[in-house]
Amino acid sequence: MLLDILSWASVGLILVTSVALLISQSWQRSLLFLSLQYLGMFWLVSLHWPMTMAAVKLVTGWIAAAALGMSQPQSDQPTSKEDAWPQGRLFRLLAAGLVVLVVIASVPTVTDWLPSLHTLETLGSLLLLSMGLLHLSVTARPFRTILGLLTVLAGFETLYAAVENSIMVAAMLAVINLGLAMVGAYLLSTPPREEASE
Amino acid sequence: MNAPLIWIGLPLALAGVLLLIRNARLVSILGSTAAIILTGLAWFLPLDTVITLGSYAFKVAPSFSILGRSLTVGAGDQGILALFYGMAAMWFFGALATPNGRPIVSLGMAVIALLVASLAVEPFLYAALLIEIALLLCVPMLVPFDSPPQRGVLRFLIHQTLAMPFILFSGWMLAGVEASPGDLNLVIQAGALLGLGFAFLLAVFPLYAWIPQISEESHPYAAAFILFIFPMTALLFLMGFIDRFAWLRANPNLPGILTSAGLLMVVSGGLWAAFQRDLGRMMGYGAVIETGLALLAIGQYQAAGVSIFALLIVPRGLGMATWSLSLSRLKSEAGSLRFSAVQGMLRAYPSAAVGVALSHLSLLGMPLLAGFPPRLALWEALARQSAVSAGWYAIGMVGLLIGLIRTLAVLSMAPDNTPWRWQDTWLQRVLIGFGLLGMLTFGLFPQTLQPLLARLPLVFEFLGR
């Protein structure tokens, strides 16, 4: 019973943080949501993996968030506006709502494919995957792109944890997550892009 | 001593050392020398056999265990290793004559080591993870520290990263298909995931928008290195899938799917190339067409496809290296590779312009150049199968030819009475000259590639046998 409640809470956390990540414009809040998102993912992964191994995902995610946070410009410049269409929060919220509906509808099918997954795990991982993809599709900024990729990977890792528990895979996925964060940090440290007039 | 340590561990360590050296020339020379030594070792060093040097005897074991899994480099893999490091030596040496060559060598060495690891890892499915790690190392090559990141790099990162989950999942499903081959639903699901994974990884139509973008926005030499080494690894990985799963190999639809994907890339790449106004993008579409040709060759795996595929690799590497080296020169002078910027540059930079033109011609399959023998064999194989496919192939090549004619027109369109000047440096002339000489040699004497062709199919247990 308690496990179920915690799993529901994790899925709820993933839903709220992934949507918030999509509409948030401040990098501080985005990184906070990303960190909380990893907490939800950690719980879902721990349903299949030993707590110590699942904790690797959590710690990796938090280090990735910290790396991205440390590489943000130090000045008090306002957060750069998204240059890709569409920019409106309302649009993103509506798109997220549509994605949530699609995810809910597809959970039974995916659970059929992967019988070792519980419905809640499927729901949580699909939410992460689809919100990450939505994020990638509405952004052209390096920071946002890395957030989207980390979200997609978090969703994939939650799904994959149910079918693969190799230490080597866990280690390589951790390296990939950290590598993505480092790439993000590197891209953030380069001069900002000036939009070419076309 | 063991083989993965020599061809994976040592290059990774060397890459770390090269990153610390500031002198770009020294980095190029050290990197290419190390790559040549690794090529020689791959070609001549016997594995799993006692070797006696005076009073000292040792054996190079083929396997190395790490975290419960293993990296295995068997005797059959040595041809591939020699190819990887031989090509790397060529690229690293060419980096001597390009600005921004240092990261191409130091990070490139690490990338090559990781890609070799991806072909050696057991279970082979984990290759997708190693390829992903390698591509993360490519970002600093494409975006120097003082340049803003452009959209192409972000798309490259997104597309290649999305490939990994699909491939890992499909691999897990394929194991299920092996256990119950009669489960049609499982076969379809696994096939669809595998197809999507490789479509992202190989940038199959329409997922290749990032290729011309990075060719235009990034340094041409770095972009071309990535556009050569990643598709080559991904294609070998794809062949590994086909080789290992009997049901996949025996699937009657697979050759058709591969041929259609290849033709789509050749035709669309050729048609787009005809309308480009940027030499970098033109090279990007050239890379798309090369991958399409490789897919066409693999599609003939039941016949001579594996040999044709092997025959395509060296001309592709040589052509892309010469092409991008020449473009690097033009870009560093003109600031951009747009037609308006490079107009008339043939008279000031004749060796770079000739390098661009001949590499383009080799890609087209011009007789006497390196690209001709594999293209002739491939076109013949296609025509034997279907005249329509051969016709589509020709349409793609016509598009590419139009692109070449436009390139030549722009490069030679100098104002009247413009004098001829040789502004290329001697090093650039020599390196471009070597590239052109290589293209002519492999075009006139394709049998020089025979030893490589004989060893490459040994990687596979069933394909090409």
Side-chain angles (χ1 to χ4, degrees):
Chain A
M1 184 64 185
L2 183 65
L3 276 181
D4 279 348
I5 292 172
L6 282 172
S7 300
W8 273 109
S10 301
V11 174
L13 185 66
I14 284 172
L15 175 64
V16 171
T17 53
S18 58
V19 174
L21 206 53
L22 187 69
I23 57 176
S24 162
Q25 290 295 322
S26 140
W27 66 264
Q28 292 98 332
R29 278 198 291 271
S30 296
L31 291 179
L32 176 69
F33 294 135
L34 184 72
S35 306
L36 290 173
Q37 189 171 275
Y38 278 112
L39 205 60
M41 176 215 179
F42 158 71
W43 181 255
L44 293 182
V45 171
S46 70
L47 297 176
H48 287 280
W49 284 14
M51 206 57 106
T52 45
M53 261 181 79
V56 171
K57 306 257 181 217
L58 180 66
V59 174
T60 306
W62 283 356
I63 295 175
L68 285 171
M70 283 190 290
S71 55
Q72 293 291 332
Q74 292 300 307
S75 62
D76 293 331
Q77 292 169 354
T79 311
S80 57
K81 283 269 168 57
E82 188 61 67
D83 55 351
W85 186 89
Q87 299 178 10
R89 286 186 182 182
L90 184 63
F91 174 85
R92 289 177 183 219
L93 211 55
L94 286 172
L98 200 64
V99 164
V100 171
L101 287 178
V102 172
V103 166
I104 290 172
S106 55
V107 165
T109 316
V110 178
T111 313
D112 277 351
W113 287 7
L114 301 166
S116 53
L117 273 174
H118 303 296
T119 309
L120 283 176
E121 293 162 67
T122 314
L123 182 59
S125 53
L126 288 185
L127 273 173
L128 285 169
L129 272 171
S130 46
M131 286 299 177
L133 287 174
L134 181 60
H135 205 151
L136 289 173
S137 63
V138 295
T139 189
R141 294 270 168 203
F143 176 61
R144 297 265 144 210
T145 302
I146 297 296
L147 290 184
L149 284 174
L150 287 172
T151 306
V152 170
L153 279 185
F156 161 69
E157 286 179 54
T158 311
L159 268 183
Y160 203 54
V163 298
E164 175 70 73
N165 57 4
S166 147
I167 298 174
M168 191 178 179
V169 172
M172 284 206 277
L173 283 170
V175 170
I176 289 170
N177 274 292
L178 290 175
L180 266 177
M182 293 300 160
V183 164
Y186 176 79
L187 293 177
L188 285 170
S189 64
T190 57
R193 183 171 67 218
E194 286 170 24
E195 287 308 303
S197 52
E198 291 180 26
Chain B
M1 194 182 289
N2 60 64
L5 193 67
I6 296 173
W7 286 291
I8 299 165
L10 282 180
L12 276 177
L14 180 67
V17 173
L18 291 177
L19 272 174
L20 300 175
I21 302 175
R22 289 266 159 222
N23 186 327
R25 284 194 165 218
L26 182 63
V27 168
S28 271
I29 291 167
L30 284 178
S32 48
T33 308
I36 289 170
I37 293 170
L38 289 168
T39 309
L41 287 175
W43 199 256
F44 297 112
L45 189 70
L47 295 183
D48 219 10
T49 309
V50 177
I51 303 163
T52 313
L53 288 175
S55 60
Y56 181 63
F58 66 97
K59 193 165 90 166
V60 180
S63 262
F64 175 72
S65 287
I66 178 171
L67 293 173
R69 296 291 186 266
S70 68
L71 292 167
T72 305
V73 176
D77 299 325
Q78 285 182 281
I80 287 284
L81 288 179
L83 183 70
F84 264 90
Y85 282 106
M87 286 281 136
M90 180 190 73
W91 282 93
F92 295 165
F93 196 61
L96 266 175
T98 57
N100 193 34
R102 201 168 72 89
I104 296 173
V105 181
S106 49
L107 293 172
M109 183 65 89
V111 166
I112 298 274
L114 284 167
L115 294 180
V116 167
S118 77
L119 298 175
V121 71
E122 291 290 342
F124 85 110
L125 204 60
Y126 295 172
L129 292 158
L130 287 159
I131 292 174
E132 170 71 19
I133 296 172
L135 86 89
L136 292 176
L137 290 177
C138 292
V139 173
M141 279 191 227
L142 293 170
V143 186
F145 200 67
D146 52 357
S147 308
Q150 302 291 338
R151 291 187 182 197
V153 177
L154 297 179
R155 283 196 184 186
F156 162 68
L157 200 57
I158 293 170
H159 281 72
Q160 297 288 297
T161 302
L162 288 181
M164 182 194 65
F166 285 116
I167 291 176
L168 286 179
F169 252 118
S170 69
W172 172 75
M173 284 188 158
L174 287 172
V177 174
E178 286 276 277
S180 51
D183 188 343
L184 195 63
N185 270 342
L186 195 60
V187 171
I188 293 171
Q189 286 159 9
L193 284 178
L194 186 67
L196 268 173
F198 275 104
F200 276 112
L201 198 61
L202 288 167
V204 172
F205 178 85
L207 301 171
Y208 62 56
W210 60 268
I211 292 183
Q213 275 185 321
I214 64 164
S215 308
E216 179 187 9
E217 297 161 353
S218 304
H219 191 277
Y221 201 68
F225 175 71
I226 289 165
L227 293 177
F228 167 66
I229 203 78
F230 275 92
M232 185 174 96
T233 312
L235 288 161
L236 287 168
F237 187 30
L238 171 66
M239 291 169 82
F241 260 93
I242 299 172
D243 188 54
R244 280 164 204 247
F245 294 103
W247 69 270
L248 195 59
R249 213 169 45 247
N251 190 323
N253 298 320
L254 187 63
I257 291 169
L258 291 169
T259 306
S260 306
L263 275 178
L264 257 176
M265 290 183 78
V266 171
V267 173
S268 61
L271 291 181
W272 280 117
F275 297 103
Q276 292 312 306
R277 291 175 163 271
D278 183 291
L279 294 184
R281 291 181 70 87
M282 194 84 80
M283 184 185 73
Y285 282 109
V288 168
I289 290 171
E290 287 277 15
T291 304
L293 293 175
L295 279 174
L296 281 175
I298 298 174
Q300 318 287 319
Y301 65 87
Q302 288 156 335
V306 178
S307 301
I308 300 174
F309 169 75
L311 198 57
L312 280 166
I313 296 175
V314 174
R316 177 180 187 166
L318 199 57
M320 292 293 285
T322 313
W323 199 339
S324 57
L325 194 62
S326 309
L327 288 183
S328 299
R329 181 62 188 145
L330 297 180
K331 191 170 186 175
S332 62
E333 238 11 82
S336 148
L337 290 171
R338 294 194 174 202
F339 277 2
S340 52
V342 297
Q343 190 176 329
M345 287 187 93
L346 172 68
R347 299 204 181 196
Y349 303 95
S351 59
V354 169
V356 169
L358 283 186
S359 310
H360 201 138
L361 277 170
S362 177
L363 174 67
L364 260 168
M366 167 89 173
L368 304 185
L369 292 178
F372 175 65
R375 277 154 187 77
L376 183 69
L378 185 59
W379 204 8
E380 197 182 323
L382 265 182
R384 225 179 276 135
Q385 215 175 48
S386 147
V388 177
S389 300
W392 280 113
Y393 175 97
I395 289 173
M397 290 299 141
V398 168
L400 200 57
L401 178 65
I402 294 170
L404 172 69
I405 292 168
R406 294 180 70 218
T407 302
L408 284 175
V410 167
L411 285 174
S412 57
M413 209 182 283
D416 288 344
N417 303 323
T418 307
W420 285 87
R421 290 167 297 160
W422 284 79
Q423 292 194 354
D424 310 282
T425 64
W426 68 268
L427 186 62
Q428 284 161 345
R429 280 183 231 163
V430 168
L431 289 176
I432 293 170
F434 268 129
L436 300 180
L437 193 68
M439 279 192 261
L440 279 169
T441 307
F442 293 131
L444 286 168
F445 311 106
Q447 65 273 25
T448 44
L449 289 173
Q450 183 54 36
L452 194 65
L453 294 188
R455 290 183 80 162
L456 275 184
L458 299 177
V459 180
F460 307 109
E461 202 179 336
F462 301 103
L463 291 186
R465 300 291 178 99

